[in-house]
């Protein structure tokens, strides 16, 4: 199947189509030249589309690795492997570098502050992975093509002065993900039923949120309230947060389905 047809199969449009086309180019480069080839950082939504594209193209999981600088990273790139490289060696050949931007701990800086300052320096989003903010510092995962520029020129976020140095990925400060487990029962595994349970709102309001395009299922906008969910699916809603359906249990005597949700705080 040619590239255009593959992109049509995954429904790629606009900027996402360009991103996915470049991913196929990297895969072809790794195969034709027998060298490692890496993409830019991908959002979770882009990565899901990319993995589906690679499946359709017949590119097996043994031929690439998804890396984000640390286990559990949200934004990751794909490294395509030559035939002489094993997946466990991919991290050593990836273009990922890590920076720590230190600031006075009494200054209250957020993820948005750091992302805005990077964009202000002309760094495009796909060159930056996760931004991990802690008291007094932010660890940033970036591509090697921008790492040295940032080390020398990134000296402030807004009015707050920064001191930037490179660190090893093993030394990243990874903030603890806060979440709570919720057990409930639902009448079905429809998206509107799960949104109602996960965000503790009336089912009618959940349906309105979905119809308004404010809900994402596995990082893709979903406007179908009757979309069926499965264990492992993640739902986010603008203004309400995010949860994951971690477990689907049996049916109660009243015919309702037992579920376990992980609600991010």
């Amino acid at each position: 199947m040619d590239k255009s047809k593959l992109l049509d199969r995954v429904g790629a449009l606009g900027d996402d189509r360009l991103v996915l086309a470049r991913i196929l180019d990297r895969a072809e480069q790794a195969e034709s030249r027998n060298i490692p080839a890496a993409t830019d950082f991908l959002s979770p939504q882009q990565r899901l589309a990319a993995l589906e594209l690679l499946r359709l193209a017949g590119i097996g999981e043994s031929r690439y690795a998804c890396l984000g600088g640390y286990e559990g990273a949200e934004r990751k790139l794909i490294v395509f492997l030559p035939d002489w490289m094993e997946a466990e060696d991919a991290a050593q050949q990836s273009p990922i570098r890590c920076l720590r931007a230190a600031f006075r701990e009494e200054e209250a800086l957020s993820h948005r502050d750091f992302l805005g300052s990077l964009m202000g320096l002309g760094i495009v989003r796909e060159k930056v992975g996760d931004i991990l903010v802690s008291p007094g510092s932010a660890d940033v995962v970036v591509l090697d093509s921008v790492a040295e520029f940032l080390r020398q020129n990134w000296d402030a976020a807004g009015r707050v002065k920064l001191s930037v140095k490179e660190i090893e990925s093993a030394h990243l400060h990874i903030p603890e993900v806060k979440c709570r487990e919720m057990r409930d029962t639902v009448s079905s595994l429809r998206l509107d039923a799960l949104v109602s349970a996960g965000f503790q709102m009336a089912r009618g309001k959940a349906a309105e949120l979905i119809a308004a395009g404010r809900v994402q299922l596995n990082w893709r906008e979903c406007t179908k309230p009757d979309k069926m969910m499965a264990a492992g699916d993640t739902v986010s809603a603008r203004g309400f947060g995010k949860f994951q359906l971690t477990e689907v249990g049996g049916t109660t005597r009243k015919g309702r389905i037992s579920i376990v949700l992980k609600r991010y705080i």
Side-chain angles (χ1 to χ4, degrees):
M1 190 181 303
D2 65 30
K3 183 186 296 186
S4 181
K5 290 182 179 178
L6 283 170
L7 295 170
D8 289 341
R9 286 281 301 275
V10 296
L13 300 171
D15 291 342
D16 283 343
R17 190 177 183 92
L18 294 176
V19 169
L20 293 176
R22 287 196 290 267
I23 290 171
L24 285 178
D25 290 341
R26 293 291 188 275
E28 293 171 1
Q29 179 184 15
E31 182 175 12
S32 63
R33 300 175 60 185
N34 204 29
I35 59 172
T39 69
D40 288 337
F41 286 105
L42 305 170
S43 68
Q45 177 181 351
Q46 290 171 330
R47 189 168 71 253
L48 284 174
L51 297 182
E52 175 63 12
L53 178 67
L54 297 178
R55 186 188 67 80
L56 292 172
I59 299 174
E61 294 181 6
S62 63
R63 293 172 57 187
Y64 62 84
C66 296
L67 304 172
Y70 67 99
E71 186 176 354
E74 183 172 273
R75 294 177 62 83
K76 296 182 179 181
L77 51 75
I78 300 175
V79 179
F80 293 100
L81 309 173
D83 57 20
W84 48 266
M85 181 184 292
E86 299 296 330
E88 53 266 28
D89 299 322
Q92 300 174 7
Q93 297 292 329
S94 82
I96 290 177
R97 289 169 67 178
C98 303
L99 302 176
R100 174 165 294 157
F103 54 94
R104 292 188 304 170
E105 192 167 327
E106 58 267 28
E107 300 285 358
L109 292 178
S110 67
H111 182 283
R112 180 178 296 181
D113 294 320
F114 289 104
L115 182 59
S117 65
L118 290 169
M119 302 300 104
L121 288 173
I123 305 298
V124 294
R125 188 66 179 99
E126 56 264 31
K127 303 301 180 183
V128 182
D130 285 2
I131 300 174
L132 308 171
V133 183
S134 302
S137 70
D139 291 351
V140 185
V141 183
V142 300
L143 293 185
D144 56 7
S145 59
V146 301
E148 189 60 25
F149 171 82
L150 289 175
R151 195 181 66 80
Q152 296 185 21
N153 296 281
W154 190 26
D155 57 6
R159 297 181 179 179
V160 177
K161 296 297 183 182
L162 302 177
S163 175
V164 179
K165 66 177 182 180
E166 185 166 357
I167 62 172
E168 296 294 328
S169 61
H171 297 154
L172 286 168
H173 290 161
I174 303 171
E176 180 184 0
V177 177
K178 297 181 179 180
C179 57
R180 63 185 176 95
E181 186 177 272
M182 301 170 59
R183 295 180 178 272
D184 205 343
T185 62
V186 290
S187 59
S188 75
L189 295 179
R190 284 170 47 125
L191 178 59
D192 56 354
L194 270 297
V195 169
S196 173
F199 297 125
Q200 297 178 311
M201 63 176 63
R203 189 160 174 176
K205 184 174 181 180
E208 291 175 3
L209 280 178
I210 296 167
R214 293 178 60 184
V215 173
Q216 289 190 332
L217 174 59
N218 295 328
W219 299 279
R220 294 180 178 177
E221 181 182 303
C222 183
T223 57
K224 298 179 179 180
D226 59 349
K227 179 72 174 179
M228 300 303 291
M229 291 182 56
D233 286 347
T234 298
V235 173
S236 60
R238 293 199 300 274
F240 292 90
K242 180 172 68 173
F243 69 83
Q244 183 181 50
L245 175 58
T246 57
E247 184 179 328
V248 177
T251 304
T252 69
R253 292 180 180 178
K254 295 183 178 181
R256 294 176 65 83
I257 303 169
S258 300
I259 59 168
V260 180
L261 303 176
K262 181 168 67 175
R263 175 78 181 271
Y264 294 88
I265 303 173

